[in-house]
Amino acid sequence: MQYYSTRNHAALFSLQEAAFRGLAPDGGLFMPAVIPHADLEKVRELSECSFSELSRYLTRLFFGDELPETRTDAIAAGACRFPVPLKQVGKDKYTLELFHGPTFAFKDIGAGFMGHALRALNRTAGETIILTATSGDTGSAVANGFYGIEGVKVVILYPDGQVSGLQESQMTTLGGNIFPLKVKGTFDDCQRIVKDIFSDADFRREKRVTSANSINILRWIPQSFYYFHGWAQWVKATGGKRPGIVVPSGNYGNLAAGLLAAKMGLPVRRFIAAANANDTVPKYLRSGRFEPQPSVRTVANAMDVGNPSNFERIVDLFGNDFSAVTARIGGYSCDDQTILETIRELYDRYGYLSDPHSAVGYKAACEFGIEGFWLSTAHGAKFGEVIRTALGKEFPLPSGLHELPGKEKLFTRIGPSTSSVENFIRSL
Ligand SMILES: *Cc1c(COP(=O)(O)O)cnc(C)c1O
């Protein structure tokens, strides 16, 4: 399979190039040149067994040209080993819970897949350094996704004093091939250093560094897999045929992956892009104008994105045809007040604990009268403060997260300078 850039369909790149570059040289996002067709009978059958079995089939469809089956199977088995259940909420509502992985958020799926896939691609290429800056959640998903992967070392920069204690624990208690750097500076400093290192050609000749950015093709493609699993479970539970699917969205990788699944043949009636107050895409869906805004802070902070990168993938999948986009996708956005009320409604009416991001999905599903399901992107207990504000009480952390606070944090303190970080990487 080859990959083109959203900004130039003529130049093709190998999987290896697309994976290690992250972003295309012209600044576009990589897209598969051929979208494979999934056999829905097979999908239903494999989905009955497990998400992991289903992922094994879909991984082969995408990567079977480059990698032998033993490798694609190992990637799927390593990355997709937790359940992705469709839960019934009340009498006739359903949500697909994507948060049963190691950090209890859906980014675990893409990050885990990328980790295992890089190892498979890496066998001949030698050691790779994954370099990433984080304001919290991405770092923990990447650390967990790449933990213990041979031939890969992960260097994570995070701002001192600006990530939550739980997030810091998730990044710093693993050890092994994970090297957290606590930077005396802001998240912007961390991002600047990472950018400087990626554009330092001399250093890149010396060390093979790559990013685990969420736009990477190896993180994006596997996100299409759980849509199939959700569909199969929903069909079985309801006897329906074509669900509507609501996607809580920020950078729009998740929704773009759903559209990819639809292109592979998944029957979906309609998608709904569910946003918080950062409503660049819902506005575009109404007006046809894509006007990025500075992001605003909300209680669903993993969706605080004013200029979503994966928007390019969405319009590319529709051949830049606005009417085709609006025929398939509806837009919804709401403010913090509504998110808090919705968390309360879900809890009071159904006894269901929802995190703030997923609550936006539920609200959109209600507003649009969706017959289908919304995606739940994180476990409610991860957002203790918001939940306390909404419900007036605390909920225990899931086991796994529960044990973290007591573990020893291992990190290196470092100043906000590119050369210090480069020297640190040389010393590994
Ligand atoms: C990242 C994230 C989102 C947004 O997903 P995108 O693919 O960026 O649209 C939603 N919810 C949670 C909990 C997240 O971590």
Side-chain angles (χ1 to χ4, degrees):
M1 172 90 71
Q2 289 185 300
Y3 297 86
Y4 65 78
S5 158
T6 46
R7 299 191 188 168
N8 175 8
H9 290 199
L12 294 173
F13 297 82
S14 69
L15 171 61
Q16 185 104 9
E17 283 173 306
F20 284 100
R21 278 176 187 272
L23 206 61
D26 59 11
L29 277 71
F30 286 114
M31 298 291 284
V34 177
I35 293 178
H37 192 81
D39 174 345
L40 292 178
E41 264 318 299
K42 201 157 185 168
V43 165
R44 289 176 67 160
E45 216 173 273
L46 294 171
S47 169
E48 284 274 337
C49 302
S50 64
F51 178 52
S52 159
E53 283 299 316
L54 174 61
S55 302
R56 199 207 283 238
Y57 164 60
L58 297 168
T59 304
R60 280 185 203 169
L61 282 186
F62 273 103
F63 305 112
D65 291 351
E66 283 88 357
L67 299 168
E69 264 178 25
T70 49
R71 300 259 173 92
T72 55
D73 288 1
I75 297 169
C80 308
R81 58 178 175 238
F82 40 84
V84 181
L86 185 79
K87 288 274 170 75
Q88 188 170 357
V89 179
K91 213 162 74 245
D92 56 357
K93 298 191 188 327
Y94 295 88
T95 183
L96 186 67
E97 292 184 346
L98 306 176
F99 55 72
H100 296 278
T103 73
F104 301 91
F106 88 97
K107 289 187 180 69
D108 281 333
I109 296 170
F113 192 94
M114 180 171 175
H116 286 87
L118 275 191
R119 174 169 61 173
L121 289 171
N122 219 11
R123 302 245 156 164
T124 50
E127 184 179 273
T128 302
I129 308 284
I130 300 285
L131 181 64
T132 192
T134 185
S135 54
D137 263 355
T138 301
S140 49
V142 167
N144 281 275
F146 288 76
Y147 176 60
I149 304 273
E150 238 172 89
V152 175
K153 286 179 176 154
V154 181
V155 176
I156 301 172
L157 281 68
Y158 66 97
D160 190 357
Q162 290 177 38
V163 305
S164 76
L166 179 64
Q167 287 168 331
E168 186 176 31
S169 293
Q170 287 184 313
M171 296 187 274
T172 58
T173 54
L174 291 164
N177 62 328
I178 309 299
F179 300 92
L181 295 180
K182 189 167 185 154
V183 177
K184 249 195 160 22
T186 62
F187 174 60
D188 289 338
D189 290 321
C190 298
Q191 259 192 323
R192 174 182 49 78
I193 294 169
V194 168
K195 275 197 180 142
D196 284 351
I197 294 178
F198 281 126
S199 49
D200 181 345
D202 288 338
F203 185 74
R204 294 193 74 173
R205 266 191 289 279
E206 201 183 319
K207 287 277 170 191
R208 211 158 107 102
V209 284
T210 187
S211 86
N213 200 302
S214 69
I215 49 102
N216 194 291
I217 200 91
L218 293 176
R219 283 185 61 177
W220 181 58
I221 287 177
Q223 291 183 50
S224 64
F225 299 175
Y226 47 70
Y227 284 87
F228 287 93
H229 196 44
W231 168 81
Q233 293 177 78
W234 183 82
V235 167
K236 187 172 176 204
T238 66
K241 291 204 164 61
R242 287 162 69 87
I245 304 181
V246 183
V247 188
S249 292
N251 211 18
Y252 283 82
N254 202 355
L255 177 62
L259 297 166
L260 176 66
K263 275 228 158 173
M264 294 167 72
L266 186 73
V268 179
R269 186 171 302 280
R270 196 177 191 202
F271 289 94
I272 304 294
N276 57 24
N278 295 276
D279 59 354
T280 304
V281 170
K283 271 194 180 141
Y284 158 82
L285 292 166
R286 282 196 300 274
S287 69
R289 284 192 303 277
F290 185 69
E291 294 170 335
Q293 302 289 324
S295 63
V296 296
R297 285 191 74 107
T298 75
V299 294
N301 62 7
M303 307 196 321
D304 293 349
V305 183
N307 184 10
S309 323
N310 284 287
F311 181 73
E312 273 191 55
R313 283 197 163 118
I314 294 179
V315 291
D316 188 86
L317 283 165
F318 289 103
N320 294 301
D321 175 353
F322 175 66
S323 59
V325 177
T326 50
R328 296 290 278 149
I329 311 173
Y332 173 81
S333 81
C334 66
D335 59 14
D336 277 2
Q337 188 61 32
T338 308
I339 296 176
L340 294 172
E341 282 166 14
T342 305
I343 293 171
R344 260 194 304 276
E345 177 183 329
L346 274 162
Y347 191 72
D348 291 346
R349 197 179 287 177
Y350 305 115
Y352 187 79
L353 175 66
S354 172
D355 94 289
H357 308 81
S358 312
V360 178
Y362 164 78
K363 185 72 186 171
C366 295
E367 294 287 310
F368 277 85
I370 286 294
E371 249 180 68
F373 54 91
W374 73 96
L375 303 185
S376 282
T377 51
H379 193 295
K382 270 194 94 168
F383 297 87
E385 242 165 73
V386 182
I387 297 298
R388 197 162 40 235
T389 308
L391 302 177
K393 58 176 168 176
E394 307 222 14
F395 288 80
L397 292 168
S399 62
L401 278 185
H402 200 59
E403 291 140 25
L404 282 175
K407 279 198 194 164
E408 194 190 355
K409 295 180 184 172
L410 298 166
F411 52 79
T412 304
R413 287 180 191 278
I414 206 157
S417 109
T418 304
S419 59
S420 325
V421 175
E422 289 184 342
N423 284 333
F424 176 82
I425 293 172
R426 287 191 184 101
S427 77
L428 291 178

